[in-house]
Amino acid sequence: MNIRPDAVTKGVADAFGFWLSQHDVTTPELVQAGIEGAVAAWLADHTTDLIDAIAKAVADGTATSS
C-alpha cells in the first residue's frame, strides 16, 4: 500500500473540519477541554511532589501570602 502523508493529513483535516461543522462546539472549547485534561492529569501525577514542596516552603518560612 502506498499512502502519501500529505493525502492523509488532508483527509484528517477535512474529516475534523466536517465533524466540527456537524457539532455545536467551537475550537476554543475543544482546546480548553484538552488543556483542562492535560493539567488535571499533570496535577494528579505530581500531587505528592506539590504537597511536599508546599510543606517545605511553609516549614522554611518561604511561603508568601497575598
Side-chain angles (χ1 to χ4, degrees):
M1 184 183 296
N2 188 11
I3 299 175
R4 296 186 342 249
D6 56 330
V8 173
T9 301
K10 183 178 179 339
V12 170
D14 289 349
F16 184 63
F18 177 75
W19 184 90
L20 284 174
S21 74
Q22 301 299 307
H23 294 82
D24 188 25
V25 65
T26 65
T27 301
E29 289 172 327
L30 290 175
V31 171
Q32 180 180 350
I35 291 170
E36 286 175 355
V39 170
W42 186 89
L43 287 172
D45 290 345
H46 295 88
T47 299
T48 302
D49 296 335
L50 291 168
I51 291 171
D52 291 346
I54 292 167
K56 183 179 181 324
V58 170
D60 292 348
T62 57
T64 59
S65 60
S66 331

